């Protein structure tokens, strides 16, 4: 069924009076709520919910990964780590069946938090922040877990921790980094921490010459082929670049000699468990977590959304009603991707994070997390945007999306 037909079907939504056990927990139980569900492909349904009173408008994709013909995967804007693209543009470019915007990003479009695309890590975690993990096998249940970075580089008998991937050395957006970041190694949504001594890996996804400063080693086929101070290296298609500042620069000068073959490890940690990104179709960070085993557990403090001295941010981001993009996992392993419109009087009021958690539980999620919301909140079905983004200028360009792909 084409997207235009789907939109027409959803437009026939009949608002029915009264509440039921399946009604969303938004406003009094007596509010009128209407739903329309359309199967958009085998294993994928799209549900549109209108609830009076707020009002609230909610769109939900329910995906059975074991039944779909394609896959659910992350898409990087323009195929680059320092760019932005509209969610609908990503959908058209990849011929996506449906999808939503995904993780947070900084002003340059650089992803903030864990992001892995088809097994390739292109952004390290903000320590302790939750992420959605989609295993390679569609038979395996998606997971939501707080992640930490455990990357390292070994050359000869020396090993040095790896601080980051595809970002400027010394600048740690949202903090939560490793090894001496200032002013904190704890996540902080309102800050960019600094570190004078960092080792960062640049992949072909970076999409630009490496930033100026420090010392660099370029590798092809796993071996060091060139070295240079000052940055500005181009990442080869068959390799990567290691860039170091402070003691990491000394490490590279002394150990990354021509022909050396570093042992690069890009592992993640979820508690005591080691996670290899290569075993996952996609890893997409967000935050905070909303549900754990069916219980409302909004992890604002642990994940850096209640920073010290940041009461105004906490009120605006956590407590206030905003547009939201949400991901959840049902007990049967089905994936839920939802958008809730907001900031549009008479159209949709948006939700707080507590309300978002309750909505996801009512939709059947056992585990859920918040993705990037506000003006970024967008859902596509086919090539069409099916929600109403809140920015006056229309749909916002973002760093990455999560899509059902052919």
């Amino acid at each position: 069924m084409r997207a235009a037909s789907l939109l027409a079907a959803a437009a026939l939504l009949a608002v029915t009076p009264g509440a039921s056990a399946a009604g969303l927990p938004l406003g009094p139980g007596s509010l009128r709520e209407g739903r329309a569900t359309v199967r958009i492909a085998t294993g994928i349904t799209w549900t549109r919910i209108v609830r009076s009173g707020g009002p609230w408008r909610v769109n939900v994709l329910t995906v059975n990964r074991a039944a779909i013909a394609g896959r659910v995967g992350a898409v990087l804007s323009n195929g680059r780590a320092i760019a932005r693209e509209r969610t609908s543009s990503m959908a058209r470019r990849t011929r996506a069946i449906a999808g939503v915007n995904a993780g947070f990003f900084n002003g340059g479009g650089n992803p903030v938090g864990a992001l892995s695309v088809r097994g390739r890590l292109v952004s390290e975690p903000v320590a302790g922040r939750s992420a959605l993990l989609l295993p390679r096998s569609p038979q395996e249940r998606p997971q939501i877990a707080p992640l930490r970075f455990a990357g390292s580089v070994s050359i000869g008998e020396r090993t040095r921790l790896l601080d980051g991937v595809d970002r400027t050395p010394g600048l740690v957006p949202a903090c939560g980094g490793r090894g001496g970041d200032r002013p904190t190694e704890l996540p902080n949504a309102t800050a960019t921490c600094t570190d004078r001594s960092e080792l960062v890996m640049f992949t072909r996804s970076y999409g630009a010459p490496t930033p100026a400063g420090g010392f660099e080693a370029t590798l092809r086929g796993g071996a060091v082929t060139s070295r240079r101070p000052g940055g500005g290296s181009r990442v080869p298609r068959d390799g990567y670049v290691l860039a170091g500042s402070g003691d990491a620069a000394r490490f590279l000068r002394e150990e990354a000699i021509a022909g050396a073959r570093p042992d690069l490890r890009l592992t993640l940690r979820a508690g005591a468990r080691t996670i290899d990104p290569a075993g996952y179709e996609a890893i997409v960070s967000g935050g905070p977590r909303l549900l754990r085993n069916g219980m409302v557990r909004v992890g604002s403090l642990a994940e850096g959304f209640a920073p010290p001295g940041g009461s105004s941010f906490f009120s605006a981001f956590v407590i206030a009603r905003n547009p939201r993009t949400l991901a959840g996992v049902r007990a049967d392993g089905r994936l839920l991707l939802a958008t809730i419109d907001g900031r549009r009087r008479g159209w949709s009021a948006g939700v707080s994070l507590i309300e978002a958690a309750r909505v996801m539980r009512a939709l059947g999620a056992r585990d859920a997390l918040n993705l990037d919301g506000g003006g970024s909140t967008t859902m596509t079905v086919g090539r069409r945007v099916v929600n109403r983004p809140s920015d006056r200028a229309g749909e916002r360009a973002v760093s990455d999306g999560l899509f059902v792909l052919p």
Side-chain angles (χ1 to χ4, degrees):
M1 185 182 294
R2 294 186 301 179
S5 300
L6 296 173
L7 290 168
L12 298 176
L13 181 66
V15 179
T16 55
S20 68
L24 296 184
L26 294 171
S30 60
L31 293 182
R32 293 151 58 94
E33 180 176 299
R35 301 187 179 206
T37 297
V38 181
R39 192 183 82 161
I40 58 179
T42 300
I44 312 166
T45 61
W46 165 38
T47 300
R48 219 168 191 181
I49 305 171
V50 177
R51 188 166 175 81
S52 65
W56 290 277
R57 293 179 185 263
V58 181
N59 287 277
V60 186
L61 297 172
T62 304
V63 184
N64 182 351
R65 294 173 66 238
I68 62 176
R71 60 189 179 88
V72 180
V75 174
L76 197 57
S77 64
N78 300 290
R80 302 172 58 191
I82 50 169
R84 293 196 292 168
E85 183 180 9
R86 290 181 173 182
T87 304
S88 60
S89 174
M90 286 187 263
R92 288 191 295 270
R93 177 165 58 81
T94 61
R95 300 182 179 179
I97 298 166
V100 296
N101 68 292
F104 297 110
F105 56 96
N106 66 15
N110 217 186
V112 174
L115 179 64
S116 181
V117 180
R118 303 219 78 176
R120 290 189 301 108
L121 190 68
V122 296
S123 180
E124 80 278 7
V126 173
R129 224 175 239 190
S130 297
L132 173 69
L133 296 90
L134 299 174
R136 289 274 193 184
S137 170
Q139 306 299 326
E140 292 186 48
R141 190 176 185 273
Q143 309 154 36
I144 292 173
L147 298 180
R148 295 181 180 275
F149 194 29
S152 64
V153 177
S154 298
I155 308 176
E157 297 182 355
R158 292 180 65 184
T159 297
R160 209 275 185 195
L161 65 80
L162 186 67
D163 291 277
V165 180
D166 285 342
R167 65 164 174 81
T168 302
L171 298 177
V172 189
C175 303
R178 314 175 73 195
D181 297 349
R182 297 292 182 267
T184 180
E185 291 182 19
L186 298 175
N188 185 323
T190 64
T192 294
C193 285
T194 60
D195 189 339
R196 295 181 179 179
S197 180
E198 282 205 313
L199 183 61
V200 173
M201 173 194 181
F202 289 92
T203 75
R204 66 181 186 270
S205 295
Y206 188 65
T210 57
F215 187 85
E216 296 183 346
T218 299
L219 293 90
R220 300 186 69 175
V224 176
T225 57
S226 63
R227 299 149 41 97
R228 63 181 291 177
S233 300
R234 291 194 174 274
V235 183
R237 293 185 62 84
D238 58 347
Y240 59 93
V241 173
L242 292 173
S245 58
D247 69 8
R250 289 192 295 274
F251 171 76
L252 293 177
R253 286 193 189 96
E254 294 169 3
E255 304 296 336
I257 60 176
R261 303 185 72 87
D263 179 14
L264 175 69
R265 301 190 178 215
L266 296 174
T267 51
L268 310 174
R269 302 282 292 177
R273 185 162 52 108
T274 298
I275 291 176
D276 181 357
Y280 292 82
E281 183 66 35
I283 299 174
V284 175
S285 182
R289 185 171 191 148
L290 303 175
L291 296 176
R292 183 191 297 272
N293 296 325
M295 302 294 290
V296 173
R297 295 287 187 269
V298 179
S300 301
L301 181 60
E303 300 192 31
F305 297 101
S311 59
S312 61
F313 173 83
F314 179 81
S315 295
F317 181 82
V318 176
I319 302 299
R321 286 176 166 170
N322 290 293
R324 307 285 183 180
T325 302
L326 313 166
V329 182
R330 292 187 358 182
D332 61 7
R334 281 176 167 81
L335 177 66
L336 298 175
L337 300 175
T339 60
I340 304 175
D341 287 350
R343 299 179 187 166
R344 285 185 173 270
R345 187 179 181 87
W347 173 258
S348 187
V351 291
S352 69
L353 287 183
I354 288 288
E355 289 174 327
R358 291 169 178 163
V359 165
M360 292 303 286
R361 185 169 59 181
L363 292 172
R366 292 280 296 167
D367 296 282
L369 82 160
N370 180 64
L371 297 175
D372 189 18
S376 298
T377 289
T378 307
M379 178 180 286
T380 62
V381 173
R383 299 185 177 186
R384 300 286 298 276
V385 174
V386 297
N387 73 310
R388 187 174 289 185
S390 66
D391 285 359
R392 288 187 177 183
E395 186 186 352
R396 181 181 295 181
V398 299
S399 73
D400 51 276
L402 187 61
F403 296 94
V404 183
L405 300 165

